[in-house]
Amino acid sequence: MGVKQDSSSGGSERDEQFHEFVADRREWLLQTARLLTAGDPHLAEDLVQTALTKLYVSWAAFRRADNPDGYLRRVLVNVFVRERRRSWWRFERPSDRLPDRAEAQSAPAGLDPELSRALSELPRRMRAAVILRFFHELDVAETAAALGCSTGTVKSQTARALDKLRVALDQPAAPRNPPAPNARSKEQELIR
């Protein structure tokens, strides 16, 4: 229906566009997912796969979006926040025996392992707010749009998250009216 069939490959124009998009943005999605999942590579892969599936289903709406990056962030964050609500998660039971693992979980590339651990202790929406604000450098309004909440909620969630991170990392509280930021790393800015 309105999608041109490419007879040489058996795929559609939509499939080709989607494939090009995934090839271009998959690393960014995976990096963001690893931050959201506090370094769990398997959960990050699941998160990206679910987000891409949802994006494929709504590909026409995505192509019409005024802000495709915002649309993509919203899909990824929604999948992340709602992941624990899925029915299979509610029926999983803890076990006293750990399964064999091929590789140990590690912090995302370039992220301090202690910061990764501290991020993993935050509730999902707080973690998402911090990652969008400080790792993706979105402003409050863009973060609110990605999370589907008000700007006030973003501000309060971010403030509470930073307080929890300071405690987890044993950092002194930052002054309420900090001086203008200079050239600091994202990690330094986050725990400040």
Side-chain angles (χ1 to χ4, degrees):
M1 311 189 112
V3 175
K4 183 180 156 191
Q5 241 353 73
D6 178 9
S7 59
S8 63
S9 67
S12 68
E13 183 178 330
R14 171 186 175 178
D15 290 344
E16 289 175 22
Q17 291 172 351
F18 186 75
H19 178 75
E20 286 176 28
F21 170 81
V22 170
D24 183 50
R25 298 305 296 248
R26 190 171 192 292
E27 284 305 312
W28 177 86
L29 280 167
L30 195 52
Q31 178 185 13
T32 301
R34 286 198 65 184
L35 288 166
L36 289 170
T37 62
D40 184 330
H42 306 292
L43 190 54
E45 286 281 348
D46 290 347
L47 183 63
V48 168
Q49 186 63 39
T50 303
L52 288 174
T53 301
K54 290 183 178 296
L55 190 64
Y56 181 80
V57 170
S58 60
W59 185 248
F62 172 76
R63 300 286 294 169
R64 290 189 309 266
D66 292 335
N67 181 359
D69 285 337
Y71 191 103
L72 180 58
R73 274 191 299 272
R74 180 74 186 260
V75 169
L76 188 63
V77 169
N78 283 347
V79 169
F80 169 70
V81 169
R82 293 183 176 109
E83 184 69 21
R84 287 194 183 249
R85 295 181 188 162
R86 290 177 37 187
S87 62
W88 65 266
W89 185 270
R90 289 190 298 246
F91 297 112
E92 283 190 357
R93 298 289 179 246
S95 173
D96 58 348
R97 292 186 353 212
L98 294 175
D100 292 334
R101 293 199 175 200
E103 66 181 67
Q105 290 181 16
S106 61
L111 185 65
D112 180 273
E114 285 300 306
L115 180 56
S116 182
R117 179 199 50 78
L119 283 169
S120 72
E121 294 173 2
L122 293 176
R124 288 174 167 250
R125 289 185 65 82
M126 275 187 194
R127 191 181 327 156
V130 167
I131 288 166
L132 292 172
R133 290 280 292 129
F134 295 100
F135 287 91
H136 288 289
E137 300 176 349
L138 300 183
D139 64 28
V140 173
E142 291 171 320
T143 302
L147 291 172
C149 63
S150 71
T151 56
T153 299
V154 169
K155 291 176 187 178
S156 66
Q157 291 285 301
T158 302
R160 288 182 188 133
L162 291 176
D163 287 343
K164 288 181 180 218
L165 287 172
R166 282 186 200 98
V167 168
L169 298 169
D170 295 319
Q171 298 287 325
R176 287 294 174 197
N177 295 322
N182 55 14
R184 284 182 271 216
S185 73
K186 290 180 184 179
E187 245 180 80
Q188 289 170 329
E189 184 65 26
L190 176 64
I191 62 174
R192 194 174 95 25

